[in-house]
Amino acid sequence: MDFPALKAALAKLNAKRDELAAVFTEAGPDLDMDLVASLDGDSVAKVEWIRNKNTEIEALKADVEGFREVAKAAENAIADPEPEGPEGTSRSQSLGELFVNSAAYKSFSGTVGPVATLGPDVDIRNTLFQTSAGWAPEATRTGIVSTFPTRPAPHVVDFIPTLPTSQSSVKYMEETTFTNTAVETAEGAAYPEATLVLTERSQTVEKIPVFLPVTDEQLEDEQAVAGYINQRLVFMIQQRLDLQVLGGTGVTPLLLGTENVTGIQTQALGVDPIPDAIYKLFRQIRDNGFAEPSVVFIAPSKWETVRLLRTVDGIYIWGHPSTPGEPVIWGVPVVETTAVTATKAIAGDYLMHSNLYVRRGVDVQISNSHASFFIEGKQAIRADLRVAMVHYRPKAFGEVTGL
């Protein structure tokens, strides 16, 4: 069946598509707007033309799809006609057939057409079947839970090597004195005496716990509750752990975070741009700590300053906005996190000179023995983790202050 309106709409759509494709061909794989000679104006004007053209294409495509649906319905009605009534009497037509055969459909143009009166007793203007007069629609809740916006975890500890421990504290020896007197000496002369001093260090295994009360009915009546609670409690512990391995004070029961380790390197921002100050910190870690930074942690609000640095002619220094991949500065991976103090950037050789010792992984338990929970029909779901954070060589770590 021939549908002139559909053909016309499709031809118009293809013409718009060809116009847009020609512009992209001119721009080339780098989308250089300066190469587009068919359009007037600067790059901003040309990009605006592309956006407008794309909007036109989307509108035309919607028109074409509407015509195609109507055409398909008409073809189906013609291809599968109902038999005539008894003894050759004419049969009654369906609502769809009445509409397709109506003058309103035949004169349909664009997206708006006249009202179709389908018969002496059928007028679509007077037969509106709507929610208020018909069935109220059923709605089934999805299984999606939109969680509260909060810092993701784990993130920081992904960059810290993890080891198990069976002890309540982690003890190790730190070489606190190293005097190298090795020197060329004449025959028969005394050997120079070196000095080595070891000092025992210790980090206590600390516990990070949390619990949530929940009624028996909630656990019984909603299958997803138990899994949801377990996941969120574990997340809370992991989130706290990220915060502690960077900023913990080390005063029991807190872990000792990097920025509170005695003897780490410090570089003030001063008048330097942030990239310069970070590089100077890296140089201190290399010169004094004889280590290679494996990661730098910085708040998103501060990394934004670095990421948006541009030359005077508008070229982004830290890569084009479309550049894929994780952020890197001076060859060192950058982790954007609000777990770090907002006025600092913390860096260090976590790969070689730190460990997160795990005495017990996250343990989740449930009981009604808390307080009066038994007679109140409540359950206490608790989770905890026992770990110790160790920085073996303080000078292998450092911070940029004053951001």
Side-chain angles (χ1 to χ4, degrees), residues 287-314:
D287 280 356
N288 305 323
F290 298 95
E292 182 60 34
S294 61
V295 64
V296 55
F297 301 104
I298 189 171
S301 59
K302 304 305 179 183
W303 179 247
E304 176 186 281
T305 303
V306 178
R307 192 64 182 84
L308 298 182
L309 286 173
R310 288 183 289 178
T311 61
V312 292
D313 55 349

Side-chain angles (χ1 to χ4, degrees), residues 165-215:
T165 181
S166 59
Q167 306 295 313
S168 60
S169 64
V170 177
K171 295 182 181 295
Y172 61 97
M173 303 303 295
E174 179 184 352
E175 188 178 73
T176 51
T177 300
F178 175 84
T179 304
N180 182 2
T181 57
V183 67
E184 297 74 12
T185 304
E187 180 180 0
Y191 282 36
E193 180 180 347
T195 304
L196 295 173
V197 176
L198 299 179
T199 302
E200 183 181 77
R201 302 297 191 196
S202 176
Q203 286 297 325
T204 304
V205 171
E206 305 290 2
K207 180 170 63 178
I208 303 177
V210 66
F211 103 97
L212 182 75
V214 58
T215 64

Side-chain angles (χ1 to χ4, degrees), residues 95-357:
L95 188 64
E97 289 175 301
L98 289 170
F99 174 68
V100 170
N101 294 324
S102 70
Y105 167 72
K106 292 177 180 178
S107 62
F108 183 83
S109 176
T111 59
V112 179
V115 174
T117 301
L118 306 180
D121 299 319
V122 183
D123 187 339
I124 63 171
R125 293 172 297 181
N126 301 321
T127 57
L128 182 61
F129 191 71
Q130 59 185 350
T131 302
S132 61
W135 277 288
E138 293 185 9
T140 301
R141 189 177 63 225
T142 70
I144 297 173
V145 176
S146 179
T147 57
F148 188 84
T150 185
R151 175 170 46 83
H155 199 40
V156 174
V157 295
D158 287 342
F159 294 84
I160 301 173
T162 301
L163 290 176
T165 181
S166 59
Q167 306 295 313
S168 60
S169 64
V170 177
K171 295 182 181 295
Y172 61 97
M173 303 303 295
E174 179 184 352
E175 188 178 73
T176 51
T177 300
F178 175 84
T179 304
N180 182 2
T181 57
V183 67
E184 297 74 12
T185 304
E187 180 180 0
Y191 282 36
E193 180 180 347
T195 304
L196 295 173
V197 176
L198 299 179
T199 302
E200 183 181 77
R201 302 297 191 196
S202 176
Q203 286 297 325
T204 304
V205 171
E206 305 290 2
K207 180 170 63 178
I208 303 177
V210 66
F211 103 97
L212 182 75
V214 58
T215 64
D216 294 342
E217 290 83 357
Q218 182 74 170
L219 289 171
E220 292 170 359
D221 297 343
E222 179 52 63
Q223 295 180 347
V225 165
Y228 164 73
I229 293 175
N230 285 347
Q231 187 274 332
R232 297 306 278 170
L233 291 182
V234 172
F235 172 82
M236 290 175 184
I237 291 174
Q238 293 171 331
Q239 188 184 61
R240 178 65 180 180
L241 179 60
D242 265 9
L243 187 69
Q244 283 290 287
V245 297
L246 292 181
T249 64
V251 178
T252 299
L254 303 181
L255 299 177
L256 179 59
T258 305
E259 66 177 271
N260 290 306
V261 173
T262 301
I264 65 171
Q265 317 279 355
T266 299
Q267 175 65 46
L269 178 64
V271 297
D272 288 330
I274 292 178
D276 291 21
I278 290 177
Y279 188 83
K280 289 179 180 180
L281 175 64
F282 288 173
R283 192 265 308 159
Q284 287 191 55
I285 291 174
R286 293 171 179 135
D287 280 356
N288 305 323
F290 298 95
E292 182 60 34
S294 61
V295 64
V296 55
F297 301 104
I298 189 171
S301 59
K302 304 305 179 183
W303 179 247
E304 176 186 281
T305 303
V306 178
R307 192 64 182 84
L308 298 182
L309 286 173
R310 288 183 289 178
T311 61
V312 292
D313 55 349
I315 299 176
Y316 286 95
I317 296 175
W318 245 258
H320 191 271
S322 64
T323 303
E326 295 296 322
V328 175
I329 187 166
W330 307 118
V332 177
V334 174
V335 174
E336 297 179 70
T337 175
T338 55
V340 66
T341 301
T343 58
K344 296 181 179 180
I346 295 178
D349 191 350
Y350 288 88
L351 184 63
M352 298 300 296
H353 299 290
S354 77
N355 274 123
L356 181 68
Y357 282 90

